[in-house]
């Protein structure tokens, strides 16, 4: 990552998160701006954006803020320059595996919900006259 700093508006555009949501994640300690401008504006890096994207992906799967914090802590520690010892590394990897398993289970539940929703929409479509245009 190139170390380029972005203001919160650019980060919001890149992550499709609102300014309010990004500030909330900062208040809860999930993400901390990498720097502040001389005027006190939050400045973020590509690494901060990547962290926000992890959070954004976890949210619709029903993960709590504490779970997000726990996973981010594990990945931060795995990525730290001073690599953890073998026992700690294995414990951290096990935490990540647990989150991967939970995410996969949630994805499967969402697939089932989507299939049911598609079936429902098809049932409604079948009840409509063929030549009637769909209304938006």
């Amino acid at each position: 990552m190139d170390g380029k700093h972005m203001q919160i508006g650019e980060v919001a555009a890149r992550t499709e998160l609102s300014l309010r949501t990004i500030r909330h994640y900062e208040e809860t300690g999930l993400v901390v701006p990498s720097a502040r401008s001389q005027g006190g504006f939050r400045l973020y890096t590509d690494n901060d954006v990547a962290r926000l994207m992890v959070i954004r992906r976890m949210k619709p799967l029903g993960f709590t803020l504490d779970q997000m914090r726990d996973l981010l802590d594990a990945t931060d520690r795995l990525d730290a320059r001073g690599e953890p010892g073998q026992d700690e590394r294995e414990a951290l990897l096990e935490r990540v595996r647990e989150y991967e398993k939970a995410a996969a289970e949630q994805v499967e539940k969402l697939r089932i919900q989507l299939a049911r929703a598609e079936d429902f929409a098809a049932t409604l479509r079948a009840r409509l006259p063929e030549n009637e245009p769909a209304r938006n």
Side-chain angles (χ1 to χ4, degrees), residues 17-82:
L17 294 169
S18 69
L19 301 176
R20 183 175 180 222
T21 298
I22 295 170
R23 288 184 187 115
H24 172 70
Y25 290 149
E26 179 184 351
E27 289 167 7
T28 60
L30 289 173
V31 66
V32 177
S34 291
R36 292 262 181 181
S37 71
Q38 289 182 344
F41 294 106
R42 297 165 174 86
L43 297 174
Y44 299 87
T45 63
D46 285 336
N47 286 335
D48 299 325
V49 169
R51 187 176 185 89
L52 283 164
M53 292 302 294
V54 169
I55 296 164
R56 190 182 122 200
R57 291 176 182 125
M58 291 180 80
K59 181 106 174 103
L61 296 177
F63 288 101
T64 67
L65 294 176
D66 285 339
Q67 289 171 317
M68 293 174 192
R69 191 175 295 107
D70 184 55
L71 176 62
L72 290 167
D73 174 66
T75 57
D76 287 348
R77 289 169 59 193
L78 284 167
D79 294 343
R81 288 187 185 190

Side-chain angles (χ1 to χ4, degrees), residues 121-132:
T123 299
L124 294 176
R125 259 191 316 278
R127 296 187 56 88
L128 297 172
E130 287 186 39
N131 296 328
E132 185 177 310

